[in-house]
Amino acid sequence: MTVQAPKAAGKSRAGQADQAARAGRERLAYLPYLVPGVLLFTAVIGVPFLMNLYTSFTEWEGIGAPRWIGLGNYAELAEDGEFWASFRNNVLVVVGMAIVPTAVGLVLAAVLTDLIDRHFGPRAASALRACIYLPQVLPIVIAGIVWSWLLNPESGAVNALLDAVGLGSLAHDWLGDPATALWTVMAVMVWVQIGFPLVVFMSGLQRVDPSLYEAAEIDGASWARRFRHITLPQIRPEIFVVLLWTTIAALKAFAHIFVLTKGGPGGATNVPSYYSYVNFFERTDVGYGSAISTVLTLIILALTVVFLRVQSRDLGEER
């Protein structure tokens, strides 16, 4: 026995070494398939980002040779009240494009899955889901133009409808008043964005065992209690994904602002992405515009890392 034990241990270690070597060879076998993606990422994202980063340390009008000024653009950015105002506006845009659509989409997904599907059939739930998702399919520019027509203070359908139902005193220049412009843009963003969370959450709910809802209903649990104790815990990974995706989209929001308000009136709807565009193409201050976009990129990367770490920790605790 004393002679065979070391041999058995040696065989075990040899087997583990063989498994590790085999796993290493399998990982290497996947590398050729990653090359196209790495090359595309480098060409489309990596190289432009490095060029933008270099430009942010220069003073350049888009023609001629850039002049190196080091951290001059970033020092100016730190004292730029217009930039910080646009950043505060972007926080509200995150509410309009990420937090509100995620919350409303979650409730709608639970209603369609737990109530509509079970009582009226899957066709009714699918039809309602398609109707809610339709704005997500529309190009943002087209949706923005349509909403600018609807919100026109003179001939728009919104003010006409208010007047028709006896609420003409509420008629307003929704996009032209600094007090309401940003809130109006946020409402449009909610309308456009809400379909994405709904589809993701309904897809996630398909893997939830229906017997959980049936058992809870037999025990007398209300819809709200089923939503809180079954729906939310079961689709937590989807919630993380939707929040991350929509938050990044909100920080990059440009087309909505460009089409509806162009940052106005008086900068009330200005956001960093549009402010960067203005410096790039209208003021031809390419170095300063690059500094704004670099800061925005770093903020997005930092938020992504935080989201992924929180998600991995949450999933680790569940296991």
Side-chain angles (χ1 to χ4, degrees), residues 38 76-77 103 192 203 225 239 255 313:
V38 171
E76 182 180 352
L77 192 64
V192 171
S203 177
R225 292 179 67 87
I239 294 175
R313 185 181 61 188

Side-chain angles (χ1 to χ4, degrees), residues 76-291:
E76 182 180 352
L77 192 64
E79 301 177 354
D80 188 351
E82 190 173 357
F83 168 75
W84 291 111
S86 71
F87 191 77
R88 287 191 296 270
N89 292 339
N90 212 349
V91 173
L92 291 176
V93 170
V94 170
V95 174
M97 285 192 68
I99 297 177
V100 172
T102 299
V104 176
L106 185 57
V107 174
L108 287 177
V111 169
L112 293 179
T113 303
D114 190 22
L115 295 179
I116 303 298
D117 193 345
R118 293 174 58 212
H119 293 89
F120 299 96
R123 289 188 176 181
S126 297
L128 291 173
R129 178 182 61 188
C131 293
I132 298 173
Y133 187 74
L134 182 60
Q136 188 75 25
V137 179
L138 294 175
I140 295 176
V141 173
I142 294 178
I145 292 174
V146 171
W147 273 104
S148 66
W149 292 342
L150 295 174
L151 295 168
N152 187 286
E154 302 296 333
S155 58
V158 173
N159 285 342
L161 179 62
L162 290 174
D163 188 62
V165 298
L167 297 175
S169 60
L170 298 179
H172 193 68
D173 186 0
W174 302 99
L175 295 174
D177 185 350
T180 59
L182 184 57
W183 298 103
T184 305
V185 172
M186 287 170 58
V188 174
M189 289 178 172
V190 171
W191 177 80
V192 171
Q193 193 75 4
I194 199 171
F196 171 71
L198 173 68
V199 170
V200 174
F201 292 145
M202 289 190 70
S203 177
L205 287 171
Q206 298 303 313
R207 58 181 175 81
V208 180
D209 189 353
S211 62
L212 294 175
Y213 291 104
E214 294 172 1
E217 191 172 9
I218 291 174
D219 290 339
S222 63
W223 180 86
R225 292 179 67 87
R226 296 198 301 271
F227 175 77
R228 178 182 176 185
H229 296 287
I230 298 177
T231 302
L232 289 180
Q234 291 292 325
I235 62 170
R236 193 177 299 172
E238 284 80 2
I239 294 175
F240 275 110
V241 171
V242 168
L243 277 176
L244 174 60
W245 191 276
T246 53
T247 300
I248 292 175
L251 291 173
K252 298 189 303 178
F254 171 79
H256 311 78
I257 305 299
F258 181 80
V259 175
L260 289 171
T261 62
K262 288 185 168 53
T269 59
N270 194 18
V271 292
S273 58
Y274 185 78
Y275 189 42
S276 176
Y277 164 83
V278 169
N279 281 278
F280 263 109
F281 298 104
E282 295 183 8
R283 301 176 183 175
T284 63
D285 192 349
V286 179
Y288 196 61
S290 298

